[in-house]
Coordinates of all heavy atoms in Angstrom, one line a residue:
S26 N 14.1 -3.6 1.6 CA 14.6 -2.7 0.5 C 15.9 -2.0 1.0 O 16.2 -2.0 2.1 CB 13.5 -1.6 0.2 OG 13.4 -0.7 1.4
L27 N 16.6 -1.6 0.0 CA 17.9 -1.0 0.3 C 17.7 0.2 1.1 O 18.4 0.6 2.1 CB 18.6 -0.6 -1.0 CG 19.9 0.1 -0.9 CD1 21.0 -0.8 -0.1 CD2 20.5 0.5 -2.3
R28 N 16.6 1.0 0.8 CA 16.3 2.3 1.6 C 16.0 1.9 3.0 O 16.5 2.5 4.0 CB 15.1 3.0 1.0 CG 14.8 4.4 1.7 CD 13.4 4.7 1.7 NE 12.4 3.7 2.0 CZ 12.1 3.2 3.2 NH1 12.5 3.8 4.3 NH2 11.1 2.3 3.3
A29 N 15.3 0.8 3.3 CA 15.0 0.5 4.7 C 16.2 -0.1 5.4 O 16.4 0.2 6.5 CB 14.0 -0.6 4.6
Q30 N 17.1 -0.6 4.6 CA 18.4 -1.1 5.3 C 19.3 0.1 5.6 O 19.9 0.1 6.7 CB 19.2 -2.0 4.2 CG 18.5 -3.3 4.0 CD 19.3 -4.1 2.9 OE1 20.5 -4.2 2.9 NE2 18.6 -4.8 2.1
I31 N 19.3 1.1 4.8 CA 20.0 2.4 5.0 C 19.5 3.1 6.2 O 20.3 3.6 7.1 CB 20.1 3.2 3.7 CG1 21.0 2.5 2.7 CG2 20.8 4.5 4.0 CD1 21.0 3.1 1.4
T32 N 18.2 3.4 6.1 CA 17.6 4.3 7.2 C 17.0 3.6 8.3 O 16.7 4.2 9.4 CB 16.5 5.0 6.5 OG1 15.4 4.2 6.2 CG2 16.9 5.8 5.2
G33 N 16.9 2.2 8.3 CA 16.3 1.5 9.4 C 14.8 1.5 9.4 O 14.1 1.1 10.3
G34 N 14.2 2.1 8.3 CA 12.8 2.1 8.2 C 12.2 0.8 7.7 O 12.9 -0.2 7.7
R35 N 10.9 0.9 7.2 CA 10.2 -0.2 6.8 C 10.2 -0.3 5.2 O 10.1 0.8 4.6 CB 8.8 -0.2 7.3 CG 8.6 -0.4 8.7 CD 7.2 -0.3 9.1 NE 7.0 -0.7 10.5 CZ 6.6 -1.9 10.9 NH1 6.5 -2.9 10.0 NH2 6.4 -2.2 12.2
T36 N 10.2 -1.4 4.7 CA 10.1 -1.6 3.2 C 8.7 -1.2 2.8 O 7.7 -1.5 3.4 CB 10.4 -3.1 2.9 OG1 11.8 -3.4 3.3 CG2 10.3 -3.4 1.5
L37 N 8.6 -0.6 1.6 CA 7.5 -0.1 1.0 C 6.6 1.0 1.8 O 5.5 1.2 1.6 CB 6.5 -1.2 0.6 CG 7.0 -2.4 -0.3 CD1 5.8 -3.3 -0.6 CD2 7.5 -1.8 -1.6
T38 N 7.4 1.6 2.7 CA 6.7 2.6 3.5 C 7.5 3.9 3.6 O 7.4 4.6 4.6 CB 6.4 2.1 4.9 OG1 7.6 1.8 5.5 CG2 5.4 1.0 4.9
Q39 N 8.3 4.3 2.5 CA 9.1 5.5 2.6 C 8.3 6.7 3.0 O 8.7 7.4 3.9 CB 9.8 5.7 1.3 CG 10.7 7.0 1.3 CD 11.5 7.1 0.0 OE1 11.4 6.3 -0.9 NE2 12.2 8.2 -0.2
D40 N 7.3 6.9 2.3 CA 6.4 8.1 2.6 C 5.0 7.7 3.0 O 4.1 8.6 3.3 CB 6.4 9.1 1.4 CG 5.9 8.4 0.1 OD1 5.3 7.4 0.1 OD2 6.2 9.0 -1.0
G41 N 4.6 6.4 2.9 CA 3.4 6.0 3.3 C 2.3 6.0 2.3 O 1.1 5.7 2.5
H42 N 2.6 6.6 1.0 CA 1.6 6.8 0.0 C 1.1 5.5 -0.5 O -0.2 5.5 -0.8 CB 2.2 7.6 -1.1 CG 2.5 9.1 -0.7 ND1 3.1 10.0 -1.6 CD2 2.3 9.7 0.4 CE1 3.2 11.1 -0.9 NE2 2.7 11.0 0.3
L43 N 1.8 4.5 -0.7 CA 1.4 3.1 -1.3 C 0.4 2.6 -0.3 O -0.8 2.3 -0.7 CB 2.5 2.2 -1.5 CG 2.1 0.9 -2.2 CD1 1.4 1.1 -3.5 CD2 3.4 0.0 -2.3
A44 N 0.7 2.5 0.9 CA -0.3 1.9 1.9 C -1.5 2.8 2.1 O -2.6 2.2 2.1 CB 0.4 1.7 3.3
A45 N -1.3 4.1 2.0 CA -2.5 4.9 2.1 C -3.4 4.9 0.9 O -4.6 5.3 1.0 CB -2.0 6.4 2.3
S46 N -2.9 4.5 -0.2 CA -3.7 4.3 -1.4 C -4.6 3.1 -1.5 O -5.3 2.9 -2.3 CB -2.8 4.4 -2.7 OG -2.2 3.1 -2.9
I47 N -4.4 2.1 -0.6 CA -5.1 1.0 -0.5 C -6.6 1.4 -0.3 O -7.0 2.0 0.8 CB -4.7 0.0 0.6 CG1 -3.2 -0.4 0.4 CG2 -5.5 -1.2 0.6 CD1 -2.8 -1.0 -0.9
S48 N -7.5 0.9 -1.1 CA -9.0 1.2 -0.9 C -9.7 0.0 -1.4 O -9.2 -0.9 -2.1 CB -9.3 2.5 -1.7 OG -9.2 2.3 -3.0
S49 N -11.0 -0.1 -1.1 CA -11.9 -1.1 -1.6 C -13.2 -0.6 -1.9 O -13.6 0.5 -1.7 CB -12.0 -2.1 -0.3 OG -12.7 -1.5 0.7
R50 N -13.9 -1.4 -2.7 CA -15.3 -1.1 -3.0 C -16.0 -2.5 -3.4 O -15.3 -3.5 -3.6 CB -15.3 -0.2 -4.3 CG -14.6 -0.6 -5.5 CD -14.5 0.5 -6.6 NE -14.1 -0.2 -7.8 CZ -14.5 0.2 -8.9 NH1 -15.5 1.1 -9.1 NH2 -14.1 -0.4 -10.0
S51 N -17.3 -2.4 -3.4 CA -18.0 -3.7 -3.6 C -19.4 -3.3 -4.3 O -19.8 -2.2 -4.4 CB -18.2 -4.4 -2.3 OG -19.0 -3.6 -1.4
G52 N -20.0 -4.3 -4.8 CA -21.4 -4.2 -5.4 C -22.2 -5.3 -5.0 O -22.0 -6.1 -4.1
R53 N -23.2 -5.5 -5.8 CA -24.2 -6.6 -5.5 C -23.6 -8.0 -5.5 O -24.0 -8.8 -4.7 CB -25.3 -6.5 -6.5 CG -26.5 -7.4 -6.4 CD -27.5 -7.1 -7.5 NE -28.7 -8.0 -7.4 CZ -29.7 -7.8 -6.6 NH1 -29.8 -6.6 -5.9 NH2 -30.7 -8.6 -6.5
D54 N -22.7 -8.2 -6.4 CA -22.0 -9.6 -6.4 C -20.5 -9.5 -6.6 O -20.0 -10.4 -7.3 CB -22.8 -10.3 -7.5 CG -22.6 -9.7 -8.9 OD1 -22.1 -8.7 -9.1 OD2 -23.2 -10.4 -9.9
W55 N -19.9 -8.5 -6.2 CA -18.4 -8.4 -6.3 C -17.8 -7.6 -5.2 O -18.4 -6.8 -4.6 CB -18.0 -7.8 -7.7 CG -18.7 -6.5 -8.0 CD1 -19.9 -6.2 -8.4 CD2 -18.0 -5.2 -7.6 NE1 -20.0 -4.8 -8.6 CE2 -18.9 -4.2 -8.0 CE3 -16.9 -4.8 -7.1 CZ2 -18.7 -2.8 -7.9 CZ3 -16.6 -3.4 -6.9 CH2 -17.5 -2.5 -7.3
A56 N -16.5 -7.9 -5.0 CA -15.8 -7.2 -4.0 C -14.4 -7.0 -4.5 O -13.9 -8.0 -5.1 CB -15.7 -7.9 -2.7
E57 N -13.8 -5.9 -4.3 CA -12.3 -5.7 -4.7 C -11.7 -4.6 -3.9 O -12.3 -3.8 -3.3 CB -12.4 -5.2 -6.3 CG -12.8 -3.8 -6.5 CD -12.8 -3.4 -8.0 OE1 -12.7 -4.3 -8.8 OE2 -13.0 -2.2 -8.2

């Protein structure tokens, strides 16, 4: 990303909220 190029950081990790929002759940016959 342009932000990562400017700051030397990582793409999609400006504040870490997107990665932190990853969650999972499952049931008897499904997983997501």
Side-chain angles (χ1 to χ4, degrees):
S26 66
L27 181 59
R28 186 210 41 86
Q30 293 174 42
I31 292 171
T32 66
R35 292 178 173 265
T36 299
L37 299 188
T38 58
Q39 180 175 356
D40 54 23
H42 292 178
L43 182 58
S46 78
I47 304 298
S48 63
S49 62
R50 59 189 191 138
S51 61
R53 187 176 177 90
D54 60 357
W55 57 274
E57 68 182 18

